[in-house]
Amino acid sequence: RLAPRASAGRGVSVLQFNVLAQKLEPSPVDPTDESAVKAVQYAHRGPLNIAHIRRCDADVVVLEEVDDPATHYGPELHEMGYAVVADRKLGGAGDCTLVAYKSAVLSAASPHKVVRLGTDDAPASQFALLLHLAPVATAQSAEGAAVPEAADAVAKNDFFVVAQHAKAGRSVENEQIRLRHSRRLLLEELPAYIAACTVAPGGNVTAVDVAKHRVLWVGDFNAGPETYGGKYPCNAMPWLLNARARAAGDAEHAPVFESAMANALARDPEAPAAPAASDDAEAMPATELGCPRDLYLTTCKQRDDAVIRQTIDFVLYPRGVARTTAYLPCPVADAAELAPLYLPNADWGSDHLSVYAEVEWQV
């Protein structure tokens, strides 16, 4: 914890977690090892993931790779008091993205929107969820009963959630697709959604500036190209998107996002020191990222003969709009002791770690 938890309406807690779908679970690293076989099975992993979600008790939960919300995670989330919104990649078995929010704390301020992004060969395969949420604010009436506050008071504390599970595939081509989709989301689809939710009919839609709104952009952004030397620094995705926006000549209104984890680690005196800059000439220069390089991991797993150690899961917000007041630490990138703990394992039910942050709005 870096600061006291924000009061109601001034902050929100969020959990990002790719839970590894039952239909997508990998083969055990050692098929002869009974514990390794058990570790990848949903019967073992599902309860671990649900217990972690329950412990975090976040106001907003974003999950990727949910097989079917009617049978996987949805019932448990409803039992915990969450409202659930979900959709799937068309043709993608076991690949739903789910957003849940606490019904006692938050409500939908506008209908959610599904943005189909797609690719040339699969036009409806990629998508994102856009939500407009507001606190369930109440006041005491003269008789002592709880009554809703005036709508304009609630609206001042509203915020937006962008839930994105980016296209997989560690290639330069797929990286360009990921960036193209994300840029469309943040520079086209999200401003239009904010306008539809907040601008009065006949108002000036072009006046919507994402960088000045309360936005949580949450998701699994998937791997970077091999030219990154297998590394994906914690601020790489927002840096790349901002660079794309500047290159397009939209520097003035380009949203400048930062990682909730990077924001926390930069302010936490007990955070581990950043590793030395990489000597890999192909790796993105740490000095251009504006954040410590490879300071934490969100996935560390063995697939065939390759070990994949990357930071690809994020909770992001526009710089200056919010700050992180508390977070759940992830392992540092150079932790050699991770080797026996490749994910999933006996104690952790996914091949991704979660990202949990408590955020305080600054606007």
Side-chain angles (χ1 to χ4, degrees):
R1 178 162 298 282
L2 306 174
R5 186 159 190 165
S7 59
R10 290 299 306 169
V12 63
S13 57
V14 57
L15 174 69
Q16 151 59 28
F17 193 14
N18 181 321
V19 293
L20 179 56
Q22 182 176 7
K23 296 179 181 179
L24 300 177
E25 59 193 19
S27 301
V29 174
D30 182 358
T32 66
D33 184 338
E34 184 177 339
S35 62
V37 173
K38 178 183 178 181
V40 301
Q41 295 174 345
Y42 181 78
H44 169 75
R45 299 188 299 101
L48 288 176
N49 292 342
I50 291 165
H52 178 65
I53 294 167
R54 192 184 299 274
R55 283 194 302 270
C56 287
D57 194 31
D59 299 328
V60 177
V61 176
V62 178
L63 306 180
E64 295 84 27
E65 293 193 18
V66 174
D67 290 82
D68 183 348
T71 56
H72 295 67
Y73 299 98
E76 293 83 1
L77 285 164
H78 284 301
E79 180 267 328
M80 292 180 218
Y82 287 93
V84 173
V85 173
D87 214 303
R88 71 167 65 246
K89 296 179 182 178
L90 299 188
D95 217 349
C96 286
T97 295
L98 178 155
V99 180
Y101 54 92
K102 282 186 179 178
S103 300
V105 177
L106 298 168
S107 62
S110 304
H112 75 276
K113 181 178 181 180
V114 180
V115 178
R116 293 286 168 189
L117 297 164
T119 59
D120 293 339
D121 59 339
S125 64
Q126 305 297 130
F127 74 99
L129 294 170
L130 306 183
L131 284 81
H132 181 207
L133 302 177
V136 179
T138 58
Q140 292 298 116
S141 68
E143 292 76 24
V147 297
E149 284 187 0
D152 58 346
V154 174
K156 293 177 182 177
N157 293 318
D158 63 348
F159 63 96
F160 296 86
V161 177
V162 182
Q164 181 184 9
H165 186 189
K167 179 176 172 58
R170 298 191 302 157
S171 69
V172 173
E173 178 184 3
N174 283 331
E175 182 70 354
Q176 295 305 312
I177 291 173
R178 285 189 282 272
L179 291 170
R180 186 167 68 246
H181 287 172
S182 296
R183 185 173 183 276
R184 174 183 158 191
L185 267 176
L186 296 176
L187 299 182
E188 299 175 24
E189 300 289 351
L190 181 57
Y193 180 67
I194 292 174
C197 295
T198 61
V199 177
N204 184 7
V205 174
T206 59
V208 172
D209 184 352
V210 171
K212 296 179 180 178
H213 282 266
R214 295 177 172 185
V215 175
L216 293 174
W217 179 29
V218 185
D220 168 7
F221 293 96
N222 261 304
E226 297 292 356
T227 50
Y228 288 12
K231 297 181 178 181
Y232 208 113
C234 59
N235 214 24
M237 175 60 78
W239 182 88
L240 286 168
L241 281 169
N242 295 334
R244 280 294 190 87
R246 290 193 297 271
D250 193 24
E252 183 178 356
H253 297 101
V256 180
F257 280 77
E258 67 174 328
S259 157
M261 285 287 284
N263 177 277
L265 292 167
R267 294 166 38 236
D268 186 354
E270 297 184 6
S278 172
D279 293 330
D280 184 354
E282 298 293 337
M284 194 174 299
T287 54
E288 294 193 40
L289 291 170
C291 74
R293 181 176 179 80
D294 298 321
L295 198 53
Y296 69 100
L297 292 174
T298 64
T299 184
C300 185
K301 54 195 175 186
Q302 185 171 345
R303 293 293 179 266
D304 299 323
D305 294 328
V307 174
I308 301 171
R309 301 162 63 241
Q310 293 178 307
T311 306
I312 55 178
D313 301 86
F314 297 92
V315 173
L316 305 165
Y317 43 68
R319 184 172 291 119
V321 168
R323 67 168 184 163
T324 305
T325 59
Y327 71 103
L328 184 65
C330 292
V332 294
D334 56 356
E337 65 270 17
L338 283 177
L341 303 175
Y342 290 147
L343 308 174
N345 57 45
D347 300 313
W348 189 256
S350 176
D351 57 352
H352 287 245
L353 294 170
S354 68
V355 176
Y356 172 86
E358 293 175 15
V359 168
E360 181 181 42
W361 303 116
Q362 302 294 288
V363 297

